[in-house]
Amino acid sequence: RSHSVVLLRSKHMRAVPEMFLWNSISEESKGMVLQLTDKETTTIAEKMTLLLDDLTSKGTTGDYVVAICGSLFVASEARECLYRMDPTLFDPQDWVTQSDY
């Protein structure tokens, strides 16, 4: 069971708005959603950067797991963000730099 959730929207043209995701979850679960920004929509990279900065500033580095769930577009954008943050996390032959964007 997760302690907190961050809603993400991919850059894909058919991705649903974050508000659609918000309206799709139970009232009980809405208390677990982290509000990282006042902006209505942000990119996955922006949200991941805000999340990791927030966790690091609280001194919780190493005490959390970030699970990216969704389409391949969401996973791809998350991997690109992690690569930009720390390229040493990936093998030099990894496909992370072969984006279609």
Side-chain angles (χ1 to χ4, degrees):
R1 182 174 164 117
S2 174
H3 294 281
S4 57
V5 175
V6 176
L7 302 177
L8 303 170
R9 179 183 183 183
S10 99
K11 294 183 282 189
H12 189 274
M13 65 185 172
R14 293 181 54 199
V16 297
E18 292 169 21
M19 188 53 73
F20 180 87
L21 299 172
W22 173 261
N23 291 331
S24 300
I25 60 178
S26 70
E27 289 301 317
E28 176 185 304
S29 297
K30 287 181 179 179
M32 296 187 323
V33 176
L34 294 177
Q35 299 296 326
L36 298 172
T37 180
D38 292 336
K39 290 173 62 176
E40 190 168 318
T41 57
T42 58
T43 66
I44 289 174
E46 289 172 328
K47 282 251 179 124
M48 284 188 57
T49 300
L50 289 169
L51 173 63
L52 295 174
D53 287 348
D54 183 60
L55 292 171
T56 302
S57 71
K58 292 178 180 173
T60 56
T61 304
D63 295 338
Y64 58 89
V65 173
V66 176
I68 305 297
C69 304
S71 69
L72 291 175
F73 296 101
V74 172
S76 174
E77 288 177 49
R79 285 174 48 84
E80 287 176 52
C81 177
L82 286 174
Y83 180 78
R84 284 191 303 272
M85 293 172 124
D86 185 357
T88 64
L89 294 172
F90 297 86
D91 184 275
Q93 302 303 314
D94 195 286
W95 56 266
V96 70
T97 60
Q98 305 300 313
S99 173
D100 289 338
Y101 296 93

